[in-house]
Amino acid sequence: MILKGQGSGPLPPLLQQYVELRDAYPDYLLLFQVGDFYEAFGEDAERLSRALGITLTHKTSKDFTTPMAGIPIRSADSHLERLLKMGFRVGLAEQTEPVEAAEGLVRREVTQLLTPGTLTRENLLRPDANYLAAIATGEGYGVVFLEVSTGEFRGVVLYSKSALYDELFRNRPAEVLLAPELYANEAFREEFQRRFPLMVSSGSFDPQGARSALVQQFGMLPSGLDHPALERAAGAVLAYARTTQDGALPQVRGFARYDPSAYMQLSETTLRTLEVYDPSPVGSYGQLAPGEERTLMGVLGLTRTAPGRRLLKAWLRHPLLDEGPIQARLDAVEALVRDSVLREAVRRLLYRIHDLERLSGRLAAGRSNARDLAALARSLGLLPELKGQLLACEPLRVLGERLPLLGEVAERIGTALVEEPPLKITEGGLIKDGFDPTLDGHRERAEAGRTWIAGLEAAERSRTGIPSLKVGYNQVIGYYLEVTRPYYAQVPQDWRIIATLKDRQRYTRQDLREKEREILLAEEAGRKREYEVFQELREEVGRQAEEVREAALVLAELDVYAALAEVAARRGYTRPRFSSNRLLIRAGRHPVVEQHLEGGFIANDLEMSPEARLLILTGPNMSGKSTYLRQTALIALLSQIGSFVPAEEAVLPLFDRIYTRIGAADDIAGGRSTFMVEMEELAQILQGATAKSLVLLDEIGRGTSTYDGLSLAWAASEYLHDSVKALTLFATHYFELTALPETLPAARNYHVAAREEAGGLVFYHQVLPGPASKSYGLEVARLAGLPPEVLGRAGQLLAGLVARRDDLGQALVEELLALDLTRLTPLEALLKLQQLRAKLRPVALWEAAD
Ligand code: ADP
């Protein structure tokens, strides 16, 4: 128990209290309420002042001086938010008794612990899901996610580190608890922190403790947890969250184990390159403005409620694999696309509905305030109209049937609470007149007292004949009778003087004092009663928390359908159809890029099938190759979440995975070279892809020497074509690869049209059959404004490189000479010949292209 400071004496009582609380929560930065401020002392004051850039002062008492820094409680939220972002866990020690009631030192207790993953304070929460995650090992990785504000609690077992990273990336927790075996593993932790710059905490993962945390929560071990790592992670998450929530998490009702193979698998890389949630730092869309409008979420995010937004994000990370449920979603979207009146009406109503999911979380936890209940009642009041609309529309009927109305709850709150209750629930003004007879009684007594006092002025004026006599009130002396100087002589005997001002005096009377006391008592009793009534109401409504949550889920789903329908209608999307193995996209567009080109986007077709499953796409840089690849992936992704797609017609197979290897950004943070990243990604694709996958490759082998790169690209294409048989789009600047269709029966050449004209290269962004005719590298460089000297020199070098390729001819000659012809059968000889020719092919073609 030490506090930085100067002085020999014992700590004054206040600081003693501070140090005790501080030491009870060593992992937290303790903020200590002193009146209207949260203060920190000693070293923590220095940390706080450094972190927030606030003034450091000193607290000086008789024998001790210590550094002190503080923030006003009124504006605490923004400071707290910054502290959390900087990686502090914050504990709030608040005064838990009124200062007047305290005998000596005011009682203070730690009332809230704030960590990024366990927030429930409304002002600190974004509309997005805020997950606390835990990871433990043992027969794979057990990963568990908890959303404290809504009570969502689920987990999964994964068998590789890359699957683990993908899952974390998809769910983006705000804070992660690592089991000791991972926390203590420096290499792991370092890599982990680099990849996920979020708060990493340790937790209590021992199996015994985990089990008892679970039993304490659910009364028994919930099903789905029969796996050692999962059970430890689940227990650790609960225990940690519970300590931050005053020991209880009543909003967490059950655990759901999910199976990642039940959904389309999207890797971290794919989500990043497709810019589903975040714009890519490499800026794949050239000059487009940064920010969310550059992402798929930015295009689709027309949801009107926070639960809707969270659900849309969840759907995007978990596209479906089975046609049935996808068609059901598409039916709902289509109904809303067709009926614009219904869509408008639904969206208008949704706009007025509060975040019922989080409201239900606070209800279950008994933490709602009066404004929450008022918001709940207002929202519930809109449900009958919504339900009616859903029931009248066949594809939305099921949703309508699932929607609970909770009319009684709304009515109960409506009769009990005033329209706009205050934030504080202890200071009255919450409950309507006529709701509770006891409360009414208190109010009537107070009112009667006030009426009596109001009548006093007139009564005393006529009794004393003092025309300027007034009854007044102030905080310090309460009610008084006031008389100006000329009438002092007329003041009756039974008045007692309590204040003298320059030209007037204030008096009181015994019965006035008594009335005043009566009023105060009645008001106090009224406030107390209001609080009781409110608590009863809250408890009563809290019993319906589960149904409120169900309503929230139904509305979230509706919100997503309405948003997808709105996008589809605004941007002319079409309903996708599904086929077992064919892909046909007519006039497909990139949903994000098209929004920024305002009509200037060139739509493109694509046709693939088992007979044309490998598509080699050539064309100069900047012609639109990677845009074409991405738009294909995005159309597939959209189809499988049940959305309409940006195309005139789209028929697609149901993909089990979408793989992308696009762009060559160095993983600077990760410390891996471009080429290493590229090869790791390629390895994952070649190992993981199946005949039902969609594979998009852009510029493989860029990060290494031309020959290495070309050979790898060539071999990878062959492997994808022959063994994996995935539908593959391969955009490349290696013109040699356009020879692939000659040996691979299901490969096809396409190119993006561009033409040289007087002023230079003109891009048409149009995808056409056949290989591109020429490498435009130098041409693009000229367009970009490279100095003529550099261009000239590059031309010379190119010629030199071409000459060097002739060395390959030499190698082939040597191989020929080394053959033992006497040992070859005619068939083997023929095969050898074919092989040699295949090796020569790239060179021949390159030559032709030049
Ligand atoms: P590449 O991969 O061939 O280098 P990109 O796909 O990155 O080319 O496209 C380069 C730029 O061309 C993009 O920033 C975009 O503005 C534009 N672009 C791409 N495709 C189209 C298209 N279909 N219609 C109009 N503009 C396009």
Side-chain angles (χ1 to χ4, degrees):
M1 185 153 126
I2 328 162
L3 185 66
K4 178 173 175 169
Q6 284 171 345
S8 51
L11 289 183
L14 181 90
L15 289 181
Q16 189 129 354
Q17 189 187 31
Y18 167 76
V19 169
E20 271 166 30
L21 288 171
R22 183 198 66 183
D23 291 352
Y25 295 90
D27 296 335
Y28 293 80
L29 173 65
L30 193 79
L31 298 179
F32 187 76
Q33 183 186 2
V34 182
D36 295 333
F37 279 79
Y38 288 130
E39 304 279 8
F41 303 100
E43 267 160 1
D44 279 355
E46 293 171 351
R47 281 165 75 201
L48 186 67
S49 122
R50 260 198 314 276
L52 297 177
I54 56 175
T55 323
L56 188 66
T57 57
H58 285 88
K59 180 162 181 67
T60 308
S61 52
K62 198 155 59 66
D63 302 316
F64 197 78
T65 298
T66 181
M68 169 170 101
I71 53 180
I73 292 180
R74 218 162 11 91
S75 59
D77 281 336
S78 65
H79 292 298
L80 294 175
E81 193 171 1
R82 280 178 60 205
L83 286 172
L84 290 171
K85 268 213 187 100
M86 283 185 252
F88 288 98
R89 298 174 187 81
V90 181
L92 298 182
E94 298 185 297
Q95 295 172 187
T96 49
E97 62 180 352
V99 179
E100 314 84 63
E103 295 170 16
L105 202 56
V106 182
R107 187 176 63 223
R108 291 183 176 83
E109 284 160 322
V110 172
T111 50
Q112 290 187 59
L113 293 174
L114 305 172
T115 77
T118 57
L119 293 179
T120 49
R121 245 175 119 96
E122 221 183 332
N123 294 341
L124 297 182
L125 274 173
R126 314 226 160 278
D128 291 329
N130 195 61
Y131 292 117
L132 171 68
I135 309 170
T137 61
E139 294 173 35
Y141 295 94
V143 189
V144 169
F145 299 97
L146 172 66
E147 223 287 358
V148 178
S149 74
T150 61
E152 178 188 351
F153 187 40
R154 61 195 167 83
V156 61
V157 178
L158 299 163
Y159 295 96
S160 74
K161 207 162 71 180
S162 66
L164 169 70
Y165 288 165
D166 287 344
E167 196 56 28
L168 287 171
F169 187 80
R170 274 195 285 273
N171 289 282
R172 333 177 122 224
E175 181 176 358
V176 173
L177 309 178
L178 292 181
E181 68 272 18
L182 295 170
Y183 198 80
N185 178 337
E186 296 229 341
F188 177 87
R189 215 170 95 198
E190 201 182 304
E191 179 181 311
F192 188 85
Q193 286 265 261
R194 247 197 337 253
R195 279 192 168 232
F196 300 103
L198 46 85
M199 184 174 287
V200 170
S201 309
S202 58
S204 49
F205 279 80
D206 81 282
Q208 220 62 54
R211 181 162 296 199
S212 67
L214 287 159
V215 171
Q216 189 187 342
Q217 183 72 28
F218 300 111
M220 53 168 195
L221 266 191
S223 63
L225 275 171
D226 43 357
H227 183 281
L230 203 58
E231 189 179 313
R232 285 171 65 216
V237 151
L238 277 184
Y240 184 88
R242 224 187 261 140
T243 55
T244 66
Q245 306 297 311
D246 245 356
L249 293 168
Q251 65 272 40
V252 180
R253 298 285 177 86
F255 176 84
R257 174 162 174 185
Y258 63 100
D259 171 10
S261 67
Y263 304 103
M264 181 202 276
Q265 289 184 42
L266 290 168
S267 68
E268 176 184 346
T269 315
T270 300
L271 286 171
R272 269 191 214 278
T273 39
L274 295 181
E275 299 182 297
V276 172
Y277 301 118
D278 302 308
S280 140
V282 244
S284 48
Y285 304 129
Q287 325 301 337
L288 300 191
E292 201 189 49
E293 61 271 29
R294 261 181 42 191
T295 65
L296 184 63
M297 199 47 207
V299 172
L300 299 182
L302 299 178
T303 46
R304 308 223 94 176
T305 65
R309 186 182 159 82
R310 293 195 289 270
L311 186 66
L312 175 58
K313 282 196 153 182
W315 283 11
L316 281 170
R317 58 179 172 256
H318 288 142
L320 304 178
L321 296 177
D322 297 322
E323 190 174 338
I326 298 178
Q327 294 289 12
R329 287 185 185 178
L330 284 168
D331 287 342
V333 174
E334 179 164 352
L336 289 159
V337 170
R338 284 171 184 257
D339 189 342
S340 62
V341 176
L342 174 65
R343 182 173 77 243
E344 255 312 299
V346 163
R347 295 188 76 230
R348 215 174 35 239
L349 286 170
L350 286 172
Y351 192 60
R352 293 164 56 200
I353 291 183
H354 290 260
D355 188 339
L356 291 184
E357 200 183 5
R358 282 191 175 148
L359 278 178
S360 86
R362 287 200 290 278
L363 267 185
R367 267 202 312 264
S368 326
N369 58 31
R371 291 206 180 153
D372 286 340
L373 295 194
L376 176 64
R378 275 199 304 278
S379 305
L380 295 181
L382 302 170
L383 299 192
E385 192 182 344
L386 264 174
K387 189 174 177 108
Q389 281 164 342
L390 298 183
L391 291 178
C393 173
E394 193 47 42
L396 300 175
R397 204 185 158 75
V398 190
L399 218 49
E401 280 160 2
R402 267 176 57 201
L403 183 67
L405 284 183
L406 292 152
E408 281 164 27
V409 173
E411 202 185 307
R412 187 89 181 133
I413 299 173
T415 43
L417 277 190
V418 299
E419 293 293 318
E420 293 192 11
L423 201 56
K424 283 215 159 162
I425 53 178
T426 45
E427 295 184 359
L430 313 169
I431 307 292
K432 277 187 182 157
D433 285 334
F435 180 73
D436 178 64
T438 315
L439 174 60
D440 289 344
H442 295 314
R443 284 186 174 158
E444 275 154 25
R445 272 192 294 126
E447 195 46 43
R450 280 189 293 267
T451 317
W452 182 89
I453 288 175
L456 187 65
E457 193 173 281
E460 289 293 279
R461 260 187 208 173
S462 72
R463 176 162 84 104
T464 60
I466 304 175
S468 67
L469 185 155
K470 272 199 314 205
V471 172
Y473 176 85
N474 80 26
Q475 292 273 349
V476 185
I477 56 175
Y479 288 100
Y480 54 80
L481 295 148
E482 190 178 271
V483 174
T484 49
R485 185 181 291 274
Y487 302 99
Y488 286 175
Q490 277 163 264
V491 169
Q493 289 292 312
D494 55 347
W495 292 18
R496 192 160 53 78
I497 185 159
I498 46 176
T500 306
L501 284 72
K502 209 164 95 220
D503 58 346
R504 62 196 61 204
Q505 285 190 326
R506 290 175 179 169
Y507 305 83
T508 185
R509 267 179 19 178
Q510 191 51 34
D511 55 352
L512 180 59
R513 275 278 160 271
E514 272 158 22
K515 271 294 171 222
E516 182 175 349
R517 217 177 111 69
E518 251 170 55
I519 296 173
L520 284 179
L521 285 176
E523 281 176 349
E524 176 57 30
R527 272 197 296 275
K528 258 201 165 135
R529 180 64 196 154
E530 279 206 55
Y531 184 58
E532 280 168 20
V533 172
F534 177 75
Q535 278 181 314
E536 278 164 26
L537 179 70
R538 173 159 74 182
E539 221 166 90
E540 190 185 326
V541 176
R543 272 176 242 128
Q544 309 289 321
E546 213 35 47
E547 298 219 79
V548 173
R549 189 194 328 229
E550 174 64 13
L553 297 181
V554 172
L555 294 179
E557 205 175 320
L558 177 64
D559 193 13
V560 175
Y561 294 140
L564 293 177
E566 182 70 19
V567 184
R570 279 193 207 175
R571 314 223 53 105
Y573 288 8
T574 181
R575 178 173 177 153
R577 288 177 285 132
F578 298 97
S579 134
S580 59
N581 55 17
R582 291 174 49 75
L583 182 150
L584 169 78
I585 295 174
R586 231 166 25 80
R589 284 125 45 205
H590 189 299
V592 181
V593 177
E594 75 159 340
Q595 283 209 2
H596 292 270
L597 292 182
E598 295 188 4
F601 192 88
I602 311 295
N604 274 304
D605 300 343
L606 173 64
E607 224 181 316
M608 299 181 89
S609 66
E611 294 74 47
R613 58 179 180 267
L614 171 62
L615 223 129
I616 309 292
L617 182 65
T618 40
N621 282 333
M622 293 303 289
S623 60
K625 298 187 297 299
S626 62
T627 304
Y628 185 66
L629 260 52
R630 283 173 223 247
Q631 89 187 25
T632 306
L634 288 170
I635 288 173
L637 176 66
L638 286 173
S639 304
Q640 287 181 243
I641 68 163
S643 168
F644 279 30
V645 298
E648 273 172 22
E649 184 185 359
V651 183
L652 301 107
L654 289 161
F655 292 110
D656 62 352
R657 290 142 207 233
I658 297 178
Y659 285 103
T660 55
R661 159 86 277 287
I662 298 180
D666 264 310
D667 176 12
I668 295 167
R672 297 173 298 169
S673 71
T674 306
F675 185 59
M676 190 61 191
V677 175
E678 213 181 288
M679 287 303 115
E680 279 178 15
E681 288 177 12
L682 184 61
Q684 264 187 29
I685 296 175
L686 297 183
Q687 284 160 19
T690 75
K692 289 173 162 255
S693 306
L694 175 64
V695 176
L696 305 168
L697 301 173
D698 191 6
E699 309 282 25
I700 285 292
R702 201 188 228 174
T704 183
S705 76
T706 310
Y707 284 129
D708 279 9
L710 178 55
S711 338
L712 284 165
W714 192 288
S717 308
E718 285 181 348
Y719 185 76
L720 282 164
H721 176 277
D722 296 341
S723 307
V724 179
K725 299 188 164 71
L727 292 192
T728 307
L729 280 162
F730 194 157
T732 180
H733 63 293
Y734 292 123
F735 282 78
E736 296 81 347
L737 291 183
T738 54
L740 278 171
E742 294 187 18
T743 44
L744 305 179
R748 299 283 181 276
N749 274 317
Y750 279 82
H751 69 283
V752 193
R755 188 187 301 158
E756 247 181 297
E757 290 185 356
L761 208 54
V762 176
F763 296 120
Y764 296 102
H765 302 303
Q766 195 139 62
V767 178
L768 300 170
S773 57
K774 193 173 168 200
S775 164
Y776 290 91
L778 295 191
E779 216 28 68
V780 173
R782 190 161 66 75
L783 268 185
L786 246 57
E789 306 91 278
V790 175
L791 289 169
R793 174 72 182 133
Q796 283 174 358
L797 288 171
L798 180 62
L801 286 174
V802 169
R804 281 245 299 280
R805 256 177 294 141
D806 296 342
D807 294 351
L808 176 61
Q810 184 60 35
L812 284 178
V813 170
E814 276 164 26
E815 199 177 335
L816 254 179
L817 290 176
L819 284 180
D820 184 355
L821 295 181
T822 58
R823 289 167 158 246
L824 284 181
T825 66
L827 186 62
E828 284 171 334
L830 211 59
L831 284 173
K832 193 73 206 172
L833 213 55
Q834 204 182 11
Q835 263 178 23
L836 289 174
R837 196 164 72 170
K839 282 188 181 167
L840 259 172
R841 176 74 59 192
V843 178
L845 257 132
W846 197 339
E847 234 67 276
D850 293 328

